[in-house]
């Protein structure tokens, strides 16, 4: 075999064939690697928030599975409920981790706004309506947390649920509850109608005069009606959410008696 020579025709032909095609330098990333574009995060819409809240409430209150499932299974059920909702037809599906993260933010913000709204209610001046209270609640929220509350639609979905209602009441603490009870009960005692013993005592004193007894009973009955009306007017004048169980029972009883 002849020794290989750089001047041989075979080598020159090989070199020519390798360099005959132009090299597109722009198509080659010299000294760099291809960087993938970041995936755009899709914002949650109001409709998605409402369906997510419904999914959480229905799944968490299911007596069969609410306390007997693992965390992953729980959020998988919520994601399944969410993605199968006809209200989200045409929307891209969400992963369970996305639902969990969004719910955490919704729950946190709504709980904070519950406190702001309760404060606004306590500071409500005479003549102010619901719109005034809401504006005040938003202002209180902004002053406390230095950001605007943008989840009012979520708060309106959750505000009457027991969990958030309890949270809003507990912010005032047991001392506030005792104070309200102390302010309410004496008012009821001051206008309490005469009892059975008082009526019997009046009858014994007037036993010799049936006409007088009838008159006394009539007066007592009228006083009872007037007292009950005063109590009912006072209860109706209060915010229904601040009434105690005793007051609600008394109010319903008086209303039925008046009908």
């Amino acid at each position: 075999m002849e020794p290989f020579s750089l001047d041989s025709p075979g080598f020159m032909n090989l070199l020519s064939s390798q360099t005959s095609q132009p090299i597109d330098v722009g198509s080659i990333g010299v000294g760099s690697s291809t960087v993938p574009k970041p995936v755009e995060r899709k914002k949650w819409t109001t409709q998605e928030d409402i369906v997510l809240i419904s999914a959480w409430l229905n799944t968490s209150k299911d007596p069969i599975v609410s306390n007997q499932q693992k965390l992953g299974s729980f959020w998988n059920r919520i994601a399944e409920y969410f993605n199968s909702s006809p209200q989200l037809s045409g929307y891209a599906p969400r992963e369970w981790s996305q639902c969990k993260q969004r719910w955490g933010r919704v729950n946190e913000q709504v709980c904070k706004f519950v406190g702001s709204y309760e404060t606004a209610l306590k500071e409500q001046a005479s003549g102010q309506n619901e719109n005034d209270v809401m504006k005040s609640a938003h202002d209180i929220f902004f002053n406390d947390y230095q950001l605007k509350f943008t989840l009012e639609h979520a708060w309106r979905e959750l505000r009457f649920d027991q969990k958030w209602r309890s949270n809003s009441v507990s912010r005032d603490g047991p001392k506030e509850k005792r104070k309200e009870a102390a302010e309410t009960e004496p008012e009821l005692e001051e206008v309490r109608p005469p009892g059975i013993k008082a009526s019997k005592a009046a009858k014994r004193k007037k036993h010799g005069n049936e006409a007088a007894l009838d008159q006394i009973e009539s007066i007592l009955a009228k006083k009872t009606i007037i007292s009950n009306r005063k109590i009912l007017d006072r209860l109706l004048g209060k915010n229904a959410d601040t009434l105690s169980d005793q007051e609600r029972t008394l109010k319903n009883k008086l209303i039925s008696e008046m009908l």
Side-chain angles (χ1 to χ4, degrees):
M1 178 180 292
E2 296 181 359
F4 181 77
S5 174
L6 295 178
D7 296 328
S8 64
F11 176 77
M12 297 302 294
N13 290 337
L14 176 62
L15 181 63
S16 176
S17 65
Q18 292 296 324
T19 59
S20 60
Q21 297 295 330
I23 300 175
D24 185 4
V25 178
S27 64
I28 302 177
V30 179
S32 64
S33 59
T34 304
V35 179
K37 294 182 179 180
V39 179
E40 184 180 356
R41 296 181 62 183
K42 183 182 175 184
K43 292 183 178 180
W44 284 73
T45 64
T46 298
Q47 187 64 28
E48 286 181 303
D49 282 341
I50 292 175
V51 174
L52 176 63
I53 290 171
S54 177
W56 190 92
L57 291 175
N58 281 279
T59 304
S60 64
K61 292 181 179 180
D62 188 335
I64 299 177
V65 298
S66 60
N67 297 320
Q68 300 177 9
Q69 55 189 333
K70 295 181 180 179
L71 182 61
S73 175
F74 175 76
W75 285 104
N76 276 326
R77 286 174 56 85
I78 290 179
E80 181 180 354
Y81 181 105
F82 177 89
N83 292 321
S84 62
S85 172
Q87 300 179 46
L88 298 181
S89 177
Y91 283 75
R94 297 279 190 178
E95 298 292 336
W96 71 265
S97 56
Q98 293 175 302
C99 294
K100 181 176 181 293
Q101 183 179 17
R102 180 60 176 177
W103 170 254
R105 173 171 173 77
V106 168
N107 183 37
E108 177 191 11
Q109 295 294 304
V110 169
C111 285
K112 289 179 178 179
F113 187 76
V114 164
S116 301
Y117 182 78
E118 287 295 327
T119 302
L121 277 179
K122 294 180 184 299
E123 297 176 353
Q124 183 179 9
S126 177
Q128 287 187 330
N129 56 25
E130 174 65 17
N131 292 334
D132 297 323
V133 174
M134 283 301 299
K135 183 180 182 304
S136 177
H138 278 279
D139 292 340
I140 293 171
F141 185 93
F142 182 80
N143 291 333
D144 289 345
Y145 305 106
Q146 304 304 311
L147 56 90
K148 291 184 177 180
F149 181 65
T150 59
L151 296 173
E152 184 175 327
H153 57 279
W155 172 76
R156 293 190 180 277
E157 291 293 318
L158 293 167
R159 61 180 299 197
F160 295 116
D161 186 83
Q162 185 64 37
K163 178 178 182 294
W164 285 268
R165 182 182 297 174
S166 297
N167 285 346
S168 65
V169 173
S170 64
R171 287 180 61 87
D172 301 327
K175 184 181 297 184
E176 185 68 19
K177 291 182 180 179
R178 290 194 296 268
K179 181 180 178 182
E180 292 178 359
E183 292 175 351
T184 302
E185 292 177 0
E187 295 176 359
L188 298 179
E189 291 177 357
E190 290 175 2
V191 293
R192 186 173 297 166
I196 298 176
K197 291 183 179 181
S199 298
K200 288 182 177 179
K203 288 182 179 180
R204 284 195 298 269
K205 291 180 180 179
K206 302 294 182 179
H207 64 88
N209 193 332
E210 294 295 333
L213 285 175
D214 293 338
Q215 185 177 4
I216 291 174
E217 290 178 353
S218 177
I219 294 173
L220 292 175
K222 289 180 180 179
K223 287 185 176 180
T224 300
I225 293 174
I226 293 173
S227 298
N228 289 343
R229 285 180 178 174
K230 287 182 179 180
I231 296 173
L232 182 58
D233 289 341
R234 186 176 289 107
L235 293 175
L236 291 175
K238 291 187 176 181
N239 190 319
D241 293 336
T242 62
L243 293 177
S244 64
D245 293 339
Q246 178 186 1
E247 290 174 323
R248 291 193 186 96
T249 302
L250 180 58
K251 183 181 76 172
N252 294 334
K253 179 181 178 181
L254 293 176
I255 290 175
S256 62
E257 290 177 356
M258 293 296 179
L259 297 178

